[in-house]
Amino acid sequence: MTNSSEFQWFPTNAPAQRRYDDVYFINPSTGWTVNSDGKILATTDGSTWKEQFQTPIDPASNRGIWLRCVGFSTPLNGWVGTVSTEQRLYHTIDGGITWETVDNLPDEAPVKICGLSVVNESVIYASGTNDPVDVSRMMKTVDGGKTWTAWDMSAHASALIDVYFPTPDRGWVVGGFSDVPNPSRDDLIPVVLFTSDGGVTWENQVEDIRDSFPKGEWGWKIQFLNEQIGFVSLENLDEGAILKTTDGGVTWKRLPINDPQGNANLEGVGFVNENLGWVGGWGDENFSSGTSSQTTNGGDNWEDANQIGLFINRFRFLGDPVTVGYASGQTVYKYAKVPVGVAAAQEVAPPTSFLKTNVPAKFERSVTVEFTLPENTKQATINIWDRFGTHIRTLICETEPKVGQRSVVWDGIDDSGKNVSSGMFVYRLTVDSNAESRMIRLDN
C-alpha cells in the first residue's frame, strides 16, 4: 500500500530514465525540477512539465554543468545550485523564463552547492560540498542575493549536503565528519549541525550518539514536519537508516530501515505526518535497484514500497495537513488524491532524439554509447559524471562533428587516465543547445 485509498503516488510526465536531483514547489501546482540533462523544468499544474533552461557547455573546460538543488522565494524569484565549480549558482527573477549565473560569490563560497534553504525573499542559505576532498563551507544572503557572505565549516564537518532554516537565524545543516587526515566518504560519520544565531556558532546535535554510527555513513537530506518532529536520511552504501527527533532537534535517534528487501544507500526522506513516511535512493551498494520503503509507525518498522517511485533523491510536501507531495528520482512523482473513476497518469518514456536507447546500460570494462547527430550540428559533447555529480570524463567534444549515426566507447577511464571504481554513472550528450542523459553502471 502507499498510504490510503484517497491518496496515491504516480509519475508525472517529466521525461523518465533521467536523474532528477531536486524538486521545489512554491504552491501546490507551481514548481521546478532539475535533472541530469542539465535542464531546469517547470510546471504550473503539478503534472505537466516544460523545459525552461538548458545549461551550456563551459567553453574553458568543455564540461557540462551538473544541477543539484533548487529553491524559490516567490513565483518569480529563484535559485539553482550546482556541483560544477564553473557555474555554481543560477538565479531567475522572472519565474525561470531566463536564468543568469551569480557572479558575486565570495572567495569562501562552497565550491559545490549541494543544498539551498530559501527562508524568505531576503534570506537564503547554501551548503556544500558533498566531497570530503573539498573544504566544507556555507554561505548566505540577507538582501535577496545582492551580496553574499560565506564561511569555513571544516571544524564541524568534512562534507555538507542539505540545509534547512525555518527562520533567518535558526536552522540545521547535515553531512558527515571525520578527524582523520584527508578523509574519504568511507571515513565519515553523520553530523546534524544546529545554529540559533544565523551560522555564527554551531552545535552537533548527534554528538552524544556518535558511537552508534558506522563509518561510511553521513547525513543526506533533512525534513521537519513541524517545530518538534524532524527526520534526516543517512546515506550508507551497505545499510539503510534515518535519524528522527521529536523534541525539535535536542535529541535524535537512529532508526534502521528494516524492510524485507534490505533497502540501503538512501538519499530521500519524506513524511506526511509523524507516522507515515517514505525513504528512497540508490537501494543497494551496487547503485542499481533504486528501491523505496514505507513506514506507517514513525520509522520503527518498514515495508517495501517500490511502486511509489525509484531512485528518489528528494521528497517535498505541501499543506498542513498535507494536500499534495512530489518526489524527484527517475522521473518526478506526485502524491495526491485521485478522483474516483480516474486513473493516475502513467509513466511513458519519451522517444529519444539523439541517444539510441532509453534503457540504462550495464557494462564491465567498456560501454558503447550510440547516438545520432542531426544535420547542421555545430557542436557535440559527451560528459560523464559519477552519482555524486563529480565530473569523470569528457568523452568527446567536437566542433562541426560528423553527422548521422555515431558511436563512441568509454573504457572506464577518467580524464586523468585512471580506472574508475565500480558504481553508477551518468553520461550526457549535448548537441548544440539541447541535451539528453542516461544512467550506466560499471562493474569491475
Side-chain angles (χ1 to χ4, degrees), residues 73-74 77 79 118-124 141-145:
S73 61
T74 72
N77 202 30
W79 290 263
V118 180
V119 186
N120 53 42
E121 293 188 45
S122 299
V123 181
I124 301 100
T141 178
V142 296
D143 55 16

Side-chain angles (χ1 to χ4, degrees), residues 152-385:
D152 189 319
M153 290 287 287
S154 58
H156 308 287
S158 306
L160 289 177
I161 294 87
D162 203 20
V163 59
Y164 168 67
F165 273 73
T167 73
D169 293 323
R170 184 171 177 271
W172 291 263
V173 63
V174 299
F177 179 76
S178 175
D179 55 9
V180 305
N182 304 313
S184 70
R185 293 186 178 95
D186 292 337
D187 300 310
L188 299 179
I189 61 171
V191 291
V192 179
L193 304 174
F194 172 74
T195 181
S196 59
D197 53 20
V200 177
T201 60
W202 294 88
E203 170 198 359
N204 180 16
Q205 293 187 323
V206 293
E207 179 66 28
D208 61 324
I209 60 170
R210 62 175 295 150
D211 291 341
S212 69
F213 299 128
K215 283 191 176 182
E217 180 171 280
W218 58 93
W220 189 259
K221 289 290 187 287
I222 184 169
Q223 180 210 13
F224 268 83
L225 278 174
N226 51 46
E227 291 186 359
Q228 298 300 311
I229 302 171
F231 305 90
V232 173
S233 60
L234 298 177
E235 182 139 24
N236 179 328
L237 272 60
D238 302 312
E239 300 179 25
I242 63 169
L243 291 169
K244 180 180 179 180
T245 181
T246 58
D247 55 14
V250 177
T251 61
W252 294 82
K253 183 179 180 181
R254 185 180 186 272
L255 301 174
I257 307 302
N258 53 12
D259 62 359
Q261 66 193 343
N263 202 0
N265 207 348
L266 302 179
E267 293 193 333
V269 59
F271 278 69
V272 294
N273 55 51
E274 185 176 359
N275 293 315
L276 179 61
W278 299 270
V279 293
W282 295 99
D284 54 60
E285 63 179 340
N286 295 319
F287 311 99
S288 58
S289 61
T291 47
S292 301
S293 309
Q294 174 182 284
T295 181
T296 57
N297 60 4
D300 290 334
N301 299 102
W302 296 82
E303 60 186 348
D304 301 351
N306 303 324
Q307 71 278 4
I308 75 162
L310 297 175
F311 295 98
I312 293 175
N313 190 46
R314 171 77 78 178
F315 291 89
R316 304 276 191 186
F317 295 100
L318 293 88
D320 184 15
V322 168
T323 57
V324 67
Y326 298 90
S328 58
Q330 197 172 69
T331 182
V332 178
Y333 304 95
K334 185 174 183 178
Y335 174 80
K337 287 185 178 181
V338 178
V340 176
V342 178
Q346 297 298 309
E347 182 175 341
V348 178
T352 58
S353 296
F354 309 119
L355 294 173
K356 183 87 171 183
T357 179
N358 268 326
V359 179
K362 182 178 179 180
F363 66 102
E364 292 184 0
R365 273 274 48 102
S366 66
V367 63
T368 300
V369 178
E370 296 180 300
F371 56 99
T372 302
L373 297 182
E375 295 289 337
N376 302 315
T377 297
K378 300 301 182 184
Q379 185 180 40
T381 306
I382 295 179
N383 286 282
I384 300 172
W385 290 265

